Amino acid sequence: ASDIERFLAAFYNQREAVVEAARKLLSDEQAPRRQKLLADLIHNLNENILAEDREDDKKWFEGLESRFKNKSSYMRYSCESRIRSYMKEVSSFISNVHPTARDAYKRIVDLMSDKLKSVKYNGCYFDRREEEAVRLCTTEGWFSCQGPFDRDDCPCKHSINPYSNRESRILFSTWNLDHIIEKKRAVVPELAEAVKTRDGREVNWEYFYQLLFTVDNLKLVHIACHKKTNHNLSCDKTKIYRKRKQNHRIS
C-alpha cells in the first residue's frame, strides 16, 4: 500500500476520535473557511453509507414519504422520475407535429412508453444493488461526473454519494442526466420530422428511444459541467429509417 493509502486507513480507523477532536476545534473556531473545513470533515466522517434500510439511517429519509423503505428504492424512483419527465416531453410535443402525422407519432410514443415500462424506466441507473453493467455508481453508491457533453471526462473530477447522508441525497438532485444530442433542440423535432416525411418508410423509433432514454446519449453531470449552450449535434441520418418489420409497423 502507498503512504497515502496507509494514512487514509489509519485516519478512517480513528474516525470517532477525529470527529470528537474536530468538534472541539469547531466550537472555538471563528474563521469561516476553517469552520467550513471542520464542519465538512465531521459531516463526512459521520456518514452511514452502507446502511440501506430506513431503520438504520433515519436521518437520510427525513422529508421522504414513508413508502420508501430503503435507500435504493428511493434512488430508483428518483431516476425513474427523470426518465418519465422526458417521456412526458416527447408525448406533449404532439401538438407541434404535422396534423397528418400525429397518429403515427402517437403510435411511436406508445411503443416507447411500453418499452420504458418493461425496463422500469431505467431506474437501474441509480440503484447501487443493480449489476455493474447497468448502474452508474459503485456498489457503495458513489457517482462520478462524466463531464460536459463535449468532453470525454470531468475536468474537475466531481463525485458524490447520495446514499451517504440526507444533504448529499438532496444535492444529487441538482446533477443532470444531460442529453449529448439535445432532446428539445434535436432529437424530438427530428422524430416529428421523420414521421411527417416518412413517405412509406418505417421510422426507426428504437434509435430515437436510445437517444432519449438511455446512456447511449445520456451523461450524468455535475451542475457546473452542465453546459446549456447549443450542442450543435444532430441525429444520425442513416439511422432514422429502417427496413420494414412485420412487428411494430408504423405506416
Side-chain angles (χ1 to χ4, degrees):
S2 66
D3 289 342
I4 188 66
E5 285 173 327
R6 283 193 290 271
F7 167 75
L8 290 173
F11 184 79
Y12 191 73
N13 289 335
Q14 297 295 318
R15 65 184 183 278
E16 288 186 13
V18 173
V19 167
E20 188 56 35
R23 281 197 173 120
K24 287 179 181 176
L25 287 170
L26 183 59
S27 65
D28 297 323
E29 186 56 64
Q30 299 299 316
R33 188 176 181 184
R34 286 167 167 261
Q35 286 179 337
K36 176 75 165 63
L37 286 170
L38 289 166
D40 284 350
L41 177 64
I42 294 166
H43 184 68
N44 290 329
L45 288 176
N46 274 330
E47 291 172 343
N48 196 357
I49 289 177
L50 297 181
E52 179 67 19
D53 296 333
R54 182 181 280 266
E55 303 80 56
D56 298 326
D57 194 354
K58 291 180 180 177
K59 281 188 175 181
W60 192 92
F61 289 87
E62 285 179 8
L64 298 182
E65 296 175 39
S66 59
R67 65 190 172 103
F68 298 112
K69 305 301 182 187
N70 55 63
K71 294 178 180 179
S72 293
S73 66
Y74 174 76
M75 292 303 298
R76 282 192 76 94
Y77 167 80
S78 171
C79 188
E80 288 171 16
S81 296
R82 298 186 191 212
I83 301 297
R84 284 176 187 273
S85 73
Y86 301 159
M87 185 71 247
K88 192 173 181 180
E89 287 182 63
V90 178
S91 181
S92 64
F93 194 80
I94 196 166
S95 60
N96 299 303
V97 177
H98 192 276
T100 60
R102 284 178 186 169
D103 286 346
Y105 184 89
K106 174 68 164 57
R107 287 196 289 273
I108 287 177
V109 167
D110 289 343
L111 290 171
M112 288 181 172
S113 182
D114 288 344
K115 183 157 185 172
L116 278 176
K117 288 173 185 174
S118 73
V119 294
K120 299 179 180 177
Y121 294 88
N122 288 328
C124 56
Y125 293 157
F126 290 0
D127 188 343
R128 66 181 179 181
R129 301 169 303 182
E130 282 285 354
E131 295 177 14
E132 185 176 0
V134 297
R135 54 179 157 81
L136 293 176
C137 60
T138 68
T139 52
E140 286 190 332
W142 284 99
F143 292 82
S144 295
C145 174
Q146 296 174 320
F149 75 92
D150 54 356
R151 286 191 57 134
D152 292 331
D153 56 11
C154 171
C156 301
K157 306 300 180 190
H158 295 122
S159 65
I160 191 171
N161 190 331
Y163 288 85
S164 60
N165 53 61
R166 179 172 176 267
E167 185 178 80
S168 293
R169 166 174 66 76
I170 293 169
L171 274 175
F172 186 65
S173 66
T174 66
W175 284 49
N176 198 273
L177 273 175
D178 188 31
H179 289 82
I180 302 168
I181 302 173
E182 294 169 283
K183 175 178 78 270
K184 288 182 179 178
R185 286 193 178 111
V187 183
V188 178
E190 186 69 69
L191 172 60
E193 183 64 18
V195 174
K196 185 181 105 174
T197 59
R198 65 195 184 283
D199 191 26
R201 294 171 292 182
E202 183 178 3
V203 175
N204 185 7
W205 67 269
E206 288 173 318
Y207 169 62
F208 288 99
Y209 171 91
Q210 289 172 338
L211 294 181
L212 290 164
F213 308 116
T214 78
V215 289
D216 286 359
N217 189 48
L218 290 171
K219 293 183 83 173
L220 181 68
V221 295
H222 183 279
I223 189 170
C225 284
H226 183 207
K227 295 181 179 179
K228 295 192 175 182
T229 55
N230 194 326
H231 294 189
N232 290 316
L233 296 171
S234 56
C235 302
D236 184 341
K237 300 292 185 186
T238 67
K239 296 181 179 179
I240 291 175
Y241 299 103
R242 67 182 176 194
K243 291 181 180 179
R244 288 192 170 280
K245 291 182 180 180
Q246 293 302 312
N247 295 327
H248 303 327
R249 183 167 175 167
I250 302 296
S251 58

